[in-house]
Amino acid sequence: MTEKSNAELDVTSIRVQKLVEKIENGAIKIPEFQRGYVWKSQQVIELLESIAKNYPVGSILLWEAEKGEKLQSSRHIAGIDLPNVPDKYPVQYCLDGQQRISTLFGVFWQHANSAFSSQYNPEQGVFEVYYDLDDECFVHAHELDNIDNNRHFYLRDLLSNEKQIDVFMTHNYQKDQMKKVSQLASKFLNYEMPIIQISNRAIHEVGVIFERINNTGVKLNTMDLMTAWTWDEEFHLRDVIDDLLDELEAHCAFKLDSTLILQITSSIIHDSTSSQSILSINPTVFKDNWLSICTAIKQAIDHLSTDLLCKSGKFLPNKQLLCSMTYFFYKCPKPSSKQVDALNAWFWITSFNRKYDGGNTTQKMDHDLVIMNRLIAGDKATSLDSLKITEEILMKSVFSIRSSLTRTVLLFQAQYSPMDLISGRKINIGKVLSNYNRSEFHHIFPDAFLRNTLNVSDKNERYRLLNFCFLSSASNKKISAKPPSEYFKTLVPQHKVTDIVNSNLMPNKLSIYAGDQINNFMRQRAKLIISTVSATVKNK
């Protein structure tokens, strides 16, 4: 998506009355990605006072969109239901100055109706403003105990000579009162609002401009642009994606975000996850493929949950993995056992290699889409990438559920049906991995033992990833500060000890525990995990 060579920037001005008329006719709109009206009553008064005193109030930035660039959805200015202009006429979208133009229109409009209730629409009372002819000040209707029509002039009647005359005659205005109203009207009718108008700009350029001038500091994201750029009332992008996200969180324990869903969609439609690819999705193509995309997402999550025991998105090493897996199941909804083995091998290689921990995420995701096509074609994951995790990396890693490697190691341990060190019973992996609970993971060499007996003062040293395993809170309390040399003799079921350590991917050389050899334990466990992963992905 390239910038247009004939892009224009014009600086002009517009009188308040003309601005109100253009808004009322539907020629000026608020793009969907703009946030709602947020001004308070005092800010409304201050804007009116500034104009009445001929103070500068800042410029309005408008983007003029031709027929082919018109947005399919837009916000109601000031919460008022406004018409759409015919296709042959351009529309101007307000990129900066929404609060000001909404305030002026809300205060002065005469011929429009309030729109349906919406979280983005203001309370209409904020625009009910009168001019106090005695005190010569603006005042909100809610501040007046009684509205005196001979003293309080309703601003909605100010810009119309016909309305003014009607009020003057109906309420028998005196000459000095009529003069004050006429002078006030003249100030607003002649006030020139500075306008900066841009035209011939692509939607992604408009997004960049909006981000750079938006004084709220709110960054415009791809979801905002997509909602404004492509979707109509029959298929509102934000709503359908929110519905899917709610369903996945409620029924699958996967809390995802709209950006990932858009990346997944673009990967399927355009074989790319870049913002430009997302923004170039044809809305008809999106709608035609949406149900199939939802099905593929659910199939990928089901595979993660059943085949890889990832019962919650909290244990997914990287959310980007779901994009590639959804792409895989969309292109290959009924994979063979060989294709599934290759997919699982790719999952472990990618996760242990921490592929997505660095930058260039889009490029990495797009590269994985190429790999998915290769796997579908029959290639082995190991022929496309190799396992790069080292013993040193594993030994230095600190336990943190925010760490992708921690999630990877825990998920890999889960594949071997770990048994509780003390009770000898199998851990309920489904329960533990469906909702992360820190109390289900504990030290093998207790924290208190390391701190008090071995004098390990550095918390990161005591919280090494390899020193953790699945362990119930009750069993952890029994171990307390006991060293392995003690609790392996007195608490671990001796007839099951080998099975227990094997199920937890812990070294089965019991002399390591008898001698409290933590450094040797770390090294041997690192070797064991790497060799087990290597065996898992071998020839797949």
Side-chain angles (χ1 to χ4, degrees):
M1 197 175 290
T2 58
E3 296 185 4
K4 298 184 178 182
S5 59
N6 60 339
E8 297 177 1
L9 181 69
D10 296 319
V11 180
T12 58
S13 63
I14 187 172
R15 292 185 178 182
V16 170
Q17 185 178 31
K18 184 64 174 177
L19 177 67
V20 171
E21 289 175 355
K22 289 191 70 173
I23 294 173
E24 194 167 42
N25 292 332
I28 296 178
K29 300 281 190 181
I30 299 292
E32 183 79 16
F33 52 71
Q34 282 272 28
R35 273 54 182 181
Y37 186 86
V38 296
W39 269 17
K40 305 301 182 185
S41 298
Q42 184 57 33
Q43 291 167 292
V44 171
I45 297 297
E46 289 173 356
L47 177 65
L48 298 173
E49 288 176 342
S50 294
I51 293 177
K53 294 176 181 179
N54 203 33
Y55 291 168
V57 296
S59 61
I60 307 298
L61 180 62
L62 301 176
W63 166 47
E64 183 168 281
E66 300 296 337
K67 178 181 178 181
E69 297 174 322
K70 288 182 182 180
L71 306 181
Q72 296 300 312
S73 56
S74 57
R75 298 252 184 269
H76 292 283
I77 296 179
I80 307 302
D81 190 16
L82 300 171
N84 292 317
V85 297
D87 285 344
K88 64 181 178 179
Y89 295 114
V91 171
Q92 294 174 312
Y93 295 96
C94 181
L95 301 185
D96 189 40
Q98 175 199 175
Q99 309 301 320
R100 282 166 283 160
I101 70 169
S102 295
T103 296
L104 291 173
F105 183 67
V107 168
F108 291 115
W109 65 273
Q110 296 180 52
H111 307 297
N113 298 312
S114 296
F116 57 86
S117 176
S118 167
Q119 61 176 317
Y120 302 105
N121 294 340
E123 291 291 334
Q124 289 300 307
V126 75
F127 302 128
E128 295 291 314
V129 184
Y130 289 80
Y131 186 73
D132 189 321
L133 296 171
D134 289 353
D135 293 338
E136 297 186 10
C137 66
F138 299 99
V139 59
H140 274 94
H142 64 77
E143 297 179 270
L144 300 172
D145 293 330
N146 294 294
I147 296 174
D148 182 348
N149 291 312
N150 286 102
R151 175 179 177 176
H152 304 118
F153 190 88
Y154 190 33
L155 288 195
R156 200 149 289 160
D157 298 329
L158 185 66
L159 303 186
S160 166
N161 286 331
E162 183 180 342
K163 290 278 189 179
Q164 283 186 36
I165 293 172
D166 185 54
V167 173
F168 294 162
M169 295 180 64
T170 303
H171 300 291
N172 298 314
Y173 267 46
Q174 300 301 309
K175 188 174 182 179
D176 64 322
Q177 292 176 308
M178 290 188 286
K179 182 178 180 180
K180 287 182 179 180
V181 172
S182 297
Q183 288 176 338
L184 181 66
S186 178
K187 291 176 180 178
F188 279 91
L189 288 168
N190 292 309
Y191 189 87
E192 299 273 356
M193 294 284 293
I195 297 291
I196 300 174
Q197 179 176 294
I198 59 175
S199 54
N200 294 313
R201 298 279 185 176
I203 184 63
H204 72 282
E205 294 180 82
V206 173
V208 172
I209 292 169
F210 176 83
E211 290 171 8
R212 292 183 180 178
I213 55 86
N214 184 5
N215 58 17
T216 65
V218 178
K219 185 174 177 62
L220 187 65
N221 60 37
T222 306
M223 181 67 184
D224 296 323
L225 284 172
M226 283 292 289
T227 300
W229 186 237
T230 54
W231 311 116
D232 54 40
E233 293 181 359
E234 295 180 359
F235 186 88
H236 198 283
L237 177 67
R238 193 181 299 274
D239 289 345
V240 297
I241 288 183
D242 284 347
D243 288 344
L244 174 64
L245 295 178
D246 290 343
E247 180 184 354
L248 295 179
E249 184 175 5
H251 301 295
C252 308
F254 272 71
K255 187 174 183 179
L256 308 177
D257 58 73
S258 58
T259 298
L260 179 62
I261 301 300
L262 290 177
Q263 289 172 325
I264 290 172
T265 302
S266 183
S267 74
I268 289 170
I269 294 174
H270 287 314
D271 287 311
S272 173
T273 60
S274 70
S275 296
Q276 284 88 347
S277 295
I278 293 172
L279 290 169
S280 67
I281 297 174
N282 181 290
T284 301
V285 175
F286 190 112
K287 286 183 278 189
D288 289 346
N289 286 276
W290 177 242
L291 291 179
S292 298
I293 291 169
C294 290
T295 299
I297 292 172
K298 294 172 185 177
Q299 188 175 357
I301 290 176
D302 182 66
H303 180 80
L304 282 165
S305 178
T306 55
D307 274 44
L308 298 169
L309 303 181
C310 186
K311 304 293 184 180
S312 165
K314 294 178 181 179
F315 284 91
L316 187 62
N318 298 97
K319 66 178 184 179
Q320 292 84 359
L321 297 168
L322 182 61
C323 178
S324 301
M325 298 182 79
T326 300
Y327 180 90
F328 176 93
F329 283 108
Y330 185 91
K331 302 287 184 180
C332 184
K334 295 182 179 180
S336 65
S337 58
K338 179 182 176 182
Q339 289 169 320
V340 169
D341 286 344
L343 178 67
N344 291 346
W346 163 84
F347 176 88
W348 292 120
I349 292 171
T350 304
S351 299
F352 272 101
N353 286 352
R354 300 173 299 163
K355 179 174 184 175
Y356 288 102
D357 280 8
N360 301 317
T361 303
T362 298
Q363 292 90 326
K364 292 174 182 176
M365 292 174 75
D366 287 357
H367 177 257
D368 274 342
L369 299 182
V370 175
I371 290 180
M372 292 302 105
N373 283 317
R374 297 280 297 274
L375 300 184
I376 293 170
D379 286 355
K380 296 178 180 179
T382 48
S383 69
L384 304 175
D385 200 2
S386 59
L387 197 64
K388 300 178 180 66
I389 188 73
T390 65
E391 295 171 18
E392 285 66 28
I393 290 174
L394 280 175
M395 291 172 66
K396 291 179 180 178
S397 295
V398 177
F399 183 96
S400 171
I401 199 61
R402 293 186 296 273
S403 160
S404 66
L405 188 55
T406 294
R407 297 193 295 272
T408 300
V409 170
L410 290 176
L411 199 57
F412 191 70
Q413 288 184 51
Q415 311 304 306
Y416 292 86
S417 302
M419 301 163 67
D420 188 281
L421 289 180
I422 305 307
S423 69
R425 291 191 293 268
K426 285 187 178 181
I427 301 291
N428 187 338
I429 292 299
K431 179 180 178 182
V432 175
L433 295 186
S434 62
N435 186 23
Y436 172 69
N437 188 334
R438 175 66 180 80
S439 65
E440 300 296 338
F441 309 101
H442 292 287
H443 291 77
I444 298 167
F445 285 73
D447 180 48
F449 166 72
L450 295 176
R451 184 177 62 250
N452 300 328
T453 303
L454 299 187
N455 298 316
V456 180
S457 59
D458 186 348
K459 185 177 180 180
N460 285 343
E461 289 289 335
R462 301 197 309 271
Y463 276 71
R464 292 300 182 193
L465 171 59
L466 295 184
N467 192 29
F468 278 78
C469 70
F470 290 88
L471 186 66
S472 68
S473 181
S475 293
N476 186 59
K477 288 178 181 178
K478 291 180 180 179
I479 292 174
S480 186
K482 299 178 181 69
S485 57
E486 180 179 342
Y487 78 77
F488 258 74
K489 286 183 178 180
T490 60
L491 297 176
V492 178
Q494 295 303 296
H495 65 291
K496 288 185 176 182
V497 63
T498 301
D499 291 337
I500 289 172
V501 294
N502 286 341
S503 73
N504 284 281
L505 295 182
M506 293 164 53
N508 57 19
K509 190 175 181 179
L510 299 183
S511 60
I512 293 175
Y513 309 103
D516 294 328
Q517 300 172 21
I518 186 168
N519 291 330
N520 190 20
F521 167 82
M522 293 288 192
R523 175 67 67 181
Q524 295 305 316
R525 196 178 195 202
K527 287 179 180 292
L528 176 60
I529 289 176
I530 291 174
S531 65
T532 306
V533 177
S534 298
T536 299
V537 303
K538 186 177 181 180
N539 294 324
K540 294 180 180 177

